[in-house]
């Protein structure tokens, strides 16, 4: 535990080590070769258990970690047990990366075997590179080879995560094709022993952002090697509120901020994000949608920022003024055209809610002066 | 299954569940083939129920089968078991009472237990009949707004919401971790029961029905006529047991506990009996078999008639009939995957065999992850979504999903044997013709003139003709009358129609009979369907107008749907099209005595059009006409409601547009006209602008005519109030080169097209005076004598003939 406390953000397999242990001890389902848990246990790990699970460390209830579409989780698990990779696509902030971490932690016990796709990603980073000092000294031997996460995944039979795959140039993405279809990686420098056959349990989870669509479109040859899952934003405001609270609590715990989450404030924020994303308010107003990403993850970060300033600089209670200025910062960072839209949202929707419900809504409405 | 149901705690359901053992003992006692009355519970449109129904008939060997269904339909039994009948079909009931006509549908598919029972009975020579209260009796026992008296488009007799929509069921579905009741049903009944014995199925089914019954409120049952119906059915069972030794009672599972355990002598049952049956004469009621469509039978289309995916379960049923068991699901899933793959390939060529293999694997593995023995419709959908859809799920990539939906629903339309009674729609047509005294017994053209505003009956008759036109029949053609769609002849107060019966008419009516039992109902369903599918707001607006012409009630729903389409539409012309339709409706609604408010819709349209207007500045020549008329309509509307600030908004936008350098000259003219008209722009300024065109460089000069056309379109009286403009035009036309004049001429003609002949004469007079020419000499010049005209006409005809002959001879 002491190690975990030093980490800013422990990986999933450490954060939920107890849950994984409990599930493994109780797991009686058939496991695909190379998997740490059976598909059913993976499902329970992500979607939670209704009843507490008894294990050697006592008893615990598996928390629900992903909200939204249960069938999507089931499809993803089945895909990973098959011979195609899993590609999670969706708007930014829809918990694609979190889902990919949860899946690889549950299936392989590791969520850190990751390639981060960027415009500068090269084929070496995907396949392998060399420790040149050793290469010069000893020639092309296995010890001189620096394996990439993909190489490690194949060697150990674990999941390799490829984040933001569409940020990577198309020709580099395509180096995945042969690995995914033949499950073999050739290292010609190593001679006859240079064929790395993927161990059972290997697979790839890619994530791609729909905002990047068209930047580096995936080739259809590569697309064919993946099953696609579209991760949609949460469609219910109540669920969104629940996610904000749960995520903020987690962040606060990780950073030792001892503050309770203000449910009312979370609700205000959740409904704001929800309404601006859907283009219609709970009272029926039609709303101009801002161009900025209105994701739940953004809402979490706005709330968390507000919470931090309350903790360090304020009296510990969430101030609407801070919330609104953080919110504005988050919305306007991409596009200044959004500001009038947000202003008129406050002028109409929030004003009406303030008139109807008063309380926090009135405070929220009055804080609109922070919109700049 | 049982563990799941009974593992559920009371607190999770907000109901008190009866003691498990007592319930079990009582219900399971019913599964005894030596009983004189054997109750078979089913869910409507369920293959597994039909499968075990056949087995039960085999084991029990009844000498009489009583089937849930209004007894009025007994006369139709022969048609229903006719070998030439092709499902889907529906029994259509109608009954006229003091509140108007009530109708309901009772759809049947090959795997509907009711139809299976009838067919088996015929095959084995067993007496069978429907034994529920007649339709009129049910209506009599039902409270307003409940059961078959619900206000909805189509009311289904076999609505099984009791088995699927209780809070108890919702809790159960959630606990099982499934999406909805239909998935629950498929998993635990359709698939899981299939491999067991009939006794096991019956026990499970009875327990489930007993629990649903326990979860329902008694008052609810009384309100929707359920108790009265059951009382009647019990009475019929009693009567039948006097004659028969082994009676098989086949009803929806929800009624089974009621039929088997409740007693009419029970004091609780007071008031349940129908005191007296309403006197119903033959004219008041109609019972017909009509063809139905798979689409309408699909519960997902909102008719709540049972299970979703009729084509999928039809294939399952066909395989069960061939002796297959749960393996039927595996092969149907594979079949569907291959068909979807093939259809997608044919359309955009992306799905490969590898995808089909991946999808099949996905379906099988999902089934085992979800604890299902074999994959069902839900695993099929998931596997198509996961393996066939490439890239982000969006409108562009959703082809596989749309194709899958088509495959699951099916396109089949039922067919009736030739000797069946004609569908109700045909009867309704004949009835209406009788009402309006239209002759449909000859194929001679007839003409009627209708006073649509003065006479209510004529108004309805006109609506009838419009409806017939809408249905695509050539029965009636309007010769004269106001055309709401084009706005032509709006001043007319009479309509003249020509009608003629033709042979294709019955075919068209039969074809459309799946949409409803009466002309109004059929048209309303089609309008609704088309509105749902409408591509843009103009189309939806036209539909609204048509609905209005047909005298259909324009519902809030339709207006809401149009709102949605408008919200998503960003095409200027489509929006202005919808705007003029809605305006027309709004203007007419008082004239035609209707009370619908379009103001919100108009506001939305107005706002959207205004926001798109500035982008129209650089329009193409061919769009000028439409834009000008849209502009005039906008201005007209803006002027009507000045309190909402619409006028200011419009003028503001127009002023902004004036500063656009690339604006189309015609549009510029029209905008200046409007601004002049509303006092925002002086006549002087307009003249300066006009002069700018006339004195402009070559291209600009050539667009003078187009500019004038726009100007005259919106400000017709400018030419009469400003001498300067005429002077300017006169000078301009005097100076312009012949070649340029010829190029200007077509647009100039259009420009003066805004004036009536009398007005052009006035203009000509002014010009004549200016040149010192006597008005008579120019005005009479163009007169063509009758002889001259006749000569020209004959000459024309002769030339045509000569040319024709020459073509033939060569």
């Amino acid at each position: 535990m002491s190690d975990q406390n030093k980490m800013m953000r422990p990986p999933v397999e450490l954060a939920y080590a107890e849950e994984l242990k409990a599930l493994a001890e109780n797991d009686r389902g058939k496991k695909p070769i190379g998997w740490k848990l059976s598909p059913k246990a993976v499902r329970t790990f992500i979607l939670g258990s209704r009843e507490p699970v008894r294990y050697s460390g006592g008893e615990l209830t598996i928390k629900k970690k992903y909200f939204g579409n249960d069938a999507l989780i089931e499809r993803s698990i089945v895909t990973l047990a098959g011979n195609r990779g899993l590609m999670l696509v969706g708007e930014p902030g829809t918990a694609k990366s979190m889902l990919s971490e949860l899946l690889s932690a549950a299936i392989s016990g590791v969520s850190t075997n990751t390639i981060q796709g960027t415009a500068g990603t090269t084929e070496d980073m995907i396949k392998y590179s060399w420790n040149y000092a050793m290469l010069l000294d000893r020639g092309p031997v296995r010890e001189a080879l620096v394996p990439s996460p993909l190489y490690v995944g194949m060697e150990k039979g674990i999941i390799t995560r490829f984040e933001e795959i569409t940020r990577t140039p198309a020709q580099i993405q395509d180096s995945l094709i042969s690995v995914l279809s033949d499950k073999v990686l050739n290292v010609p420098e190593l001679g006859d022993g240079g064929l790395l056959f993927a161990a059972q349990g290997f697979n790839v989870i890619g994530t791609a952002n729909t905002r990047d669509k068209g930047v580096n479109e995936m080739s259809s040859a590569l697309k064919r090697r993946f099953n696609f899952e579209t991760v949609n934003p949460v469609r219910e405001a109540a669920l969104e509120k629940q996610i904000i609270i749960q995520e903020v609590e987690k962040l606060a715990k990780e950073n030792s901020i001892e503050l309770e989450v203000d449910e009312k404030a979370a609700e205000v924020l959740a409904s704001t994000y929800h309404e601006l994303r859907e283009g219609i308010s709970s009272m029926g107003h039609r709303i101009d949608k801002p161009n900025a990403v209105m994701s739940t993850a953004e809402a979490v970060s706005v709330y968390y920022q507000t919470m931090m300033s309350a903790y360090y600089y304020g009296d510990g209670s969430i101030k609407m003024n801070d919330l609104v200025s953080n919110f504005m910062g988050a919305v306007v960072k991409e596009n200044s055209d959004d500001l009038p839209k947000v202003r008129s949202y406050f002028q109409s929707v929030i004003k009406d809610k303030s008139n109807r419900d008063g309380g926090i809504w009135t405070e929220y409405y009055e804080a609109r002066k922070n919109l700049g | 299954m049982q563990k799941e149901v009974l593992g559920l705690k009371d607190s999770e359901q907000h109901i008190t569940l009866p003691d498990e053992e007592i319930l079990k003992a009582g219900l399971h006692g019913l599964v005894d083939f030596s009983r004189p009355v054997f109750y078979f519970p089913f869910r409507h449109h369920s293959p597994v129920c039909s499968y075990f129904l056949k087995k039960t008939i085999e084991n029990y060997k009844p000498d009489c089968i009583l089937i849930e269904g209004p007894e009025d339909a007994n006369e139709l039994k022969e048609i229903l078991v006719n070998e030439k009948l092709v499902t889907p079909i529906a029994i259509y009931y109608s009954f006229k009472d003091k509140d108007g006509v009530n109708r309901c549908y009772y759809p049947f598919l090959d795997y509907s237990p009711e139809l299976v029972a009838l067919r088996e009975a015929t095959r084995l020579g067993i007496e069978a009949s429907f034994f529920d209260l007649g339709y009129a009796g049910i209506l009599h026992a039902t409270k307003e707004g409940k059961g078959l008296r619900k206000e909805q488009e189509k009311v289904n007799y076999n609505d099984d919401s009791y088995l699927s929509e209780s809070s108890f069921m919702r809790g159960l579905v959630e606990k099982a971790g499934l999406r909805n009741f239909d998935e629950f049903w498929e998993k635990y009944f359709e698939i899981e029961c299939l491999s067991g014995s009939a006794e096991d199925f019956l026990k499970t089914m009875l327990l489930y029905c007993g629990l649903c019954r326990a979860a329902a409120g008694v008052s609810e049952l009384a309100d929707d006529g359920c108790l009265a119906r059951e009382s009647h059915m019990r009475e019929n069972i009693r009567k039948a047991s006097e004659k028969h030794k082994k009676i098989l009672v086949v009803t929806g599972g929800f009624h089974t506990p009621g039929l088997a355990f409740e007693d009419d002598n029970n004091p609780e049952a007071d008031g349940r009996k129908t005191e007296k049956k309403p006197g119903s004469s033959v004219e008041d009621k109609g019972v017909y078999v009509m063809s139905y469509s798979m689409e309408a039978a699909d519960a997902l289309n909102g008719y709540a008639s049972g299970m979703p995916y009729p084509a999928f379960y039809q294939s399952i049923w066909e395989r069960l009939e061939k002796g297959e068991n749960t393996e039927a699901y595996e092969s149907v899933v594979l079949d569907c995957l291959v068909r979807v793959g093939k259809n997608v390939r044919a359309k955009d060529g992306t799905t490969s065999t590898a995808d089909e293999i991946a999808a099949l694997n996905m379906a099988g593995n999902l089934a085992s992850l979800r604890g299902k023995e074999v994959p069902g419709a839900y695993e099929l959908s998931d596997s198509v979504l996961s393996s066939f859809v490439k890239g982000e799920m969006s409108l562009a990539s959703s082809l596989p999903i749309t194709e899958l939906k088509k495959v699951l629903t099916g396109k089949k339309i039922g067919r009736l044997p030739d000797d069946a009674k004609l569908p109700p729609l045909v009867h309704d047509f004949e009835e209406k013709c009788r009402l309006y005294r239209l002759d449909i017994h000859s194929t001679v053209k007839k003409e009627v003139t209708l006073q649509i505003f003065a006479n209510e009956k004529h108004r309805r008759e006109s609506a009838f003709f419009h409806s017939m036109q809408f249905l695509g029949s050539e029965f009636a053609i309007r010769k004269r009358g106001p055309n709401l769609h084009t706005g032509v002849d709006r001043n007319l107060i009479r309509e003249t129609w020509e009608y003629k019966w033709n042979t294709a008419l019955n075919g068209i009516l039969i074809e459309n009979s799946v949409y409803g039992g009466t002309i109004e109902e059929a048209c309303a369903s089609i309008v609704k369907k088309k509105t749902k599918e409408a591509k843009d707001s103009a189309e939806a607006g036209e539909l609204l107008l048509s609905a209005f012409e047909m005298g259909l009630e324009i519902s809030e729903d339709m207006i809401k749907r149009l709102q949605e389409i408008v919200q998503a539409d960003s095409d200027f012309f489509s929006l202005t099209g919808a705007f003029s339709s809605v305006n027309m409706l709004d203007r007419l609604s008082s004239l035609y005595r209707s009370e619908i408010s379009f103001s919100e819709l108009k506001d939305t349209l107005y706002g959207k059009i205004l926001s798109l207007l500035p982008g129209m500045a650089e329009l193409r020549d061919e769009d000028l006409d439409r834009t000008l008329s849209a502009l005039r309509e906008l201005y007209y509307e803006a002027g009507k409601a000045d309190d909402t600030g619409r006028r200011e908004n419009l003028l503001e936008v127009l002023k902004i547009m004036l500063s656009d350098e690339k604006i189309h000259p015609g549009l510029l003219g029209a905008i200046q006209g409007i601004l002049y008209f509303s006092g925002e722009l002086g006549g002087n300024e307009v003249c300066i602008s006009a002069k700018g065109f006339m004195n402009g460089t070559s291209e600009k000069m050539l667009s003078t005519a187009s500019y004038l056309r726009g100007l005259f379109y919106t400000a017709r009286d400018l030419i009469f109030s400003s001498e300067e403009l005429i002077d300017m035009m006169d000078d301009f036309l005097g100076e312009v080169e012949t070649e340029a004049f010829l190029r200007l001429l077509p647009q100039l003609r259009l420009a003066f097209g805004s004036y009536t002949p009398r007005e052009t004469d006035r203009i000509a007079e002014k010009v004549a005076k200016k040149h010192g020419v006597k008005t008579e000499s120019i005005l009479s010049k163009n007169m063509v004598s009758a002889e001259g005209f006749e000569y020209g006409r004959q000459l024309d005809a002769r030339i045509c003939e000569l040319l024709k002959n020459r073509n033939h001879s060569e």
Side-chain angles (χ1 to χ4, degrees), chain B residues 718-778:
Chain B
L718 186 66
I719 202 161
F720 302 114
S721 61
S722 153
E723 288 292 328
E724 199 187 343
L725 194 63
I726 292 197
D727 286 350
M728 239 161 43
M729 279 169 60
D730 188 46
D731 293 346
F732 170 64
L733 292 174
E735 284 165 22
V736 78
E737 306 270 329
T738 317
E739 195 192 337
F741 178 73
L742 287 177
R743 283 179 67 184
L744 284 166
L745 198 57
Q747 288 286 335
L748 268 179
R749 285 216 168 110
L750 284 173
F752 285 97
S754 309
Y755 296 100
T756 59
R758 189 182 287 267
E759 284 169 333
T760 35
D761 283 358
R762 264 176 71 197
I763 298 169
E765 263 171 51
K766 281 191 176 190
V767 180
K769 210 151 103 197
K770 211 168 121 60
H771 287 274
V773 184
K774 277 188 182 162
T775 38
E776 295 77 33
S777 59
I778 48 163

Side-chain angles (χ1 to χ4, degrees), chain A residues 39-40 43 50-51 70-71 74-75 77-79 84 89 210 213 223-224 226-230 286, chain B residues 12 174-175 177 179 354-355 358 362 365-366 368-370 382 385-387 389-393 567:
Chain A
K40 272 188 188 155
R43 181 186 191 275
R50 284 173 74 97
E51 311 284 330
D70 291 4
E74 290 170 342
R75 289 194 300 267
I77 296 170
V78 172
T79 297
R84 285 190 177 189
V89 291
T210 45
K213 201 156 69 179
K223 275 186 179 172
R224 277 210 302 278
F226 281 101
N227 275 350
F228 281 75
E229 290 297 343
T230 306
R286 296 275 172 182
Chain B
E12 286 174 292
E174 198 196 311
K175 183 171 182 187
R179 263 162 277 205
D355 290 322
M362 167 68 70
N365 289 331
L366 271 179
S368 58
L369 177 61
R370 291 171 182 166
D382 275 333
L385 178 61
S386 172
S387 306
V389 177
K390 294 290 163 205
E392 184 201 2
M393 176 67 188
Q567 287 289 354

Side-chain angles (χ1 to χ4, degrees), chain A residues 61-362:
Chain A
T61 307
I62 311 292
K63 258 203 197 145
K64 190 170 172 73
K65 299 169 195 68
Y66 176 82
F67 296 87
N69 188 340
D70 291 4
L72 182 144
I73 301 295
E74 290 170 342
R75 289 194 300 267
S76 302
I77 296 170
V78 172
T79 297
L80 288 171
N83 62 1
R84 285 190 177 189
L86 171 67
M87 182 64 66
L88 301 169
V89 291
E91 288 270 303
T94 42
K96 294 182 296 293
S97 301
M98 183 193 85
L99 184 56
S100 127
E101 280 172 353
L102 289 170
L103 283 166
S104 31
I107 291 171
S108 309
V110 194
S111 67
T112 48
N113 190 34
T114 310
I115 307 170
Q116 183 66 46
T118 65
T121 305
T122 58
E123 198 162 344
D124 303 357
M125 299 182 192
I126 293 182
K127 290 184 167 171
Y128 58 89
S129 55
W130 297 98
N131 172 341
Y132 285 96
M134 204 185 280
L135 185 68
L136 290 175
D137 183 31
R138 296 179 48 193
V141 290
R142 171 64 184 88
E143 291 72 33
L145 182 141
V146 182
S148 70
L150 189 72
Y151 193 104
V152 174
M154 291 177 75
E155 201 170 35
K156 295 189 180 164
I158 59 173
I159 304 270
T160 300
R161 294 171 49 222
F162 200 143
E163 288 287 291
E164 304 289 359
I165 194 161
T166 42
R167 303 288 307 150
T168 313
Q171 65 271 33
I172 310 292
Q173 293 174 17
D174 278 355
S175 53
L176 279 176
I177 294 178
S178 66
V179 173
L180 280 172
S181 51
D182 305 338
K183 304 284 189 275
V184 63
L185 181 67
N186 190 5
V187 187
E189 294 91 333
L190 293 180
D192 289 344
L195 281 182
L196 172 68
F197 294 97
Q200 292 275 13
F202 163 73
N203 211 331
V204 175
I205 306 179
T207 59
N209 192 322
T210 45
R211 291 258 162 162
D212 285 340
K213 201 156 69 179
V215 179
N216 291 303
E217 193 62 50
M218 284 172 78
S219 66
S220 59
L222 186 58
K223 275 186 179 172
R224 277 210 302 278
R225 272 127 187 125
F226 281 101
N227 275 350
F228 281 75
E229 290 297 343
T230 306
V231 188
N232 286 316
V234 179
R235 291 271 174 242
E236 288 167 52
L239 200 53
E240 189 151 6
K241 173 185 155 191
Q242 205 181 336
I243 298 174
I244 294 179
I245 294 175
Q246 181 164 335
E247 287 300 303
V248 169
E249 269 173 356
K250 204 171 100 193
L251 280 171
K253 200 176 135 204
E254 279 165 13
N255 294 290
S256 326
I257 294 179
E258 287 144 6
L259 266 188
E260 288 281 309
V261 178
D262 181 342
E263 284 214 16
K264 283 241 170 81
E267 188 179 326
V268 165
L269 198 62
S271 85
T272 301
Y273 268 82
H274 186 77
E275 293 179 345
L276 285 172
R277 187 171 56 230
E278 301 288 325
I280 185 157
S281 82
S282 60
M283 293 166 78
H285 303 84
R286 296 275 172 182
I287 302 162
D288 288 311
K289 294 185 201 174
N291 296 317
V293 177
M294 302 302 298
S295 68
T296 313
E298 285 282 333
V300 169
S301 106
V302 167
Y303 188 91
Y304 183 61
Q305 271 177 15
T306 316
M307 192 176 187
M308 281 205 299
S309 43
Y311 184 70
Y312 291 112
Y313 311 112
D315 61 358
S317 66
I318 299 288
K319 295 279 178 293
M320 283 297 126
N321 282 338
D322 294 345
L323 192 72
V324 172
S325 34
N326 285 329
F327 167 68
M328 192 202 67
V331 173
V332 184
K333 71 182 166 206
E334 277 186 38
N335 197 331
S336 61
D337 293 349
D338 287 345
L339 192 56
K341 292 182 184 166
V342 173
R343 267 201 216 112
S344 74
Y345 170 75
F346 271 79
Q347 280 298 350
S348 54
V349 181
I350 302 299
K351 186 178 170 193
D352 289 350
K353 285 191 178 176
S354 152
N355 286 338
R356 189 185 64 175
D357 301 336
I360 192 164
W361 291 103
T362 308

Side-chain angles (χ1 to χ4, degrees), chain B residues 198-458:
Chain B
E199 283 86 348
D200 287 343
F201 164 75
L202 282 164
K203 282 181 180 165
T204 311
M205 185 73 189
L206 282 168
L207 185 59
Y208 154 69
C209 297
L211 287 165
C212 287
R213 182 89 185 186
V218 176
S219 67
E220 209 181 330
L221 298 185
D223 285 353
D224 68 3
C226 192
L227 297 183
R229 288 170 54 196
E230 285 173 4
S231 164
H232 182 81
M233 290 195 260
R234 276 195 299 272
E235 176 69 19
N236 274 341
I237 295 171
R238 201 185 50 72
K239 275 188 208 154
S241 59
E242 289 166 5
K243 273 199 288 175
H244 300 280
K245 293 203 172 59
K246 287 188 116 183
I247 302 169
L248 180 64
V249 176
V250 183
T251 61
F254 187 77
H255 299 299
T256 307
L259 292 179
F261 297 121
E262 285 185 25
D263 189 352
D264 290 324
N265 300 324
N266 186 336
E268 254 182 64
D270 281 347
R272 285 182 191 176
K273 276 192 176 174
T274 44
E275 310 90 37
K276 55 173 190 272
K277 282 181 195 164
S280 60
S281 62
V282 185
E283 289 139 50
D284 292 341
K285 79 175 181 188
V287 187
Y288 303 95
V289 181
M290 59 185 256
S291 54
Y292 212 57
S293 65
M294 282 297 204
E295 228 177 316
D298 192 334
L300 295 183
N301 287 333
Y303 298 139
S305 60
M307 307 228 305
Y309 311 138
F312 178 82
Y313 290 112
Q314 172 75 28
S315 313
I316 298 282
W317 172 246
E318 281 162 16
R319 283 172 192 273
L320 291 180
E321 284 275 84
K322 282 184 198 147
E324 286 184 30
N325 195 271
T326 42
E327 63 271 22
Y329 278 87
E330 281 165 334
S331 44
V332 173
V333 164
L334 176 59
D335 270 2
C336 290
L337 280 176
V338 172
R339 278 174 58 201
V340 174
K342 197 176 133 208
N343 294 354
V344 173
R345 243 191 324 274
K347 286 195 176 150
D348 77 349
T350 49
T351 309
S352 65
T353 312
D355 290 322
E356 286 162 14
I357 296 171
L360 187 65
N361 265 329
M362 167 68 70
N365 289 331
L366 271 179
S368 58
L369 177 61
R370 291 171 182 166
K372 300 182 189 180
E373 201 177 318
V374 283
Y378 296 86
E379 284 67 42
L380 175 62
S381 315
D382 275 333
S383 62
V384 167
L385 178 61
S386 172
S387 306
F388 284 11
V389 177
K390 294 290 163 205
E392 184 201 2
M393 176 67 188
S394 65
L395 218 58
S397 62
S398 64
L399 180 68
I401 302 297
T402 353
E403 287 302 321
L404 174 71
K405 179 148 194 329
K406 284 190 205 155
V407 166
L408 290 176
T409 301
K411 285 185 292 197
K412 209 169 102 184
I413 286 180
R415 220 176 37 242
L416 301 182
D418 298 338
D419 49 355
K421 278 162 67 177
L422 284 171
L425 192 65
V426 178
H427 288 279
D428 187 60
F429 169 74
E430 286 167 359
E431 173 74 21
K432 289 208 162 69
C433 288
R434 242 195 319 278
L435 180 69
Y436 301 125
R437 297 174 199 283
L438 303 176
D439 177 15
I440 48 167
H441 302 292
S442 71
T443 48
V444 183
K445 272 187 195 164
K446 301 268 162 54
E447 214 177 72
V448 277
T449 301
L450 304 172
Q451 313 258 11
I452 45 173
F453 297 109
N455 185 326
E456 179 61 30
K457 194 176 172 193
H458 281 188

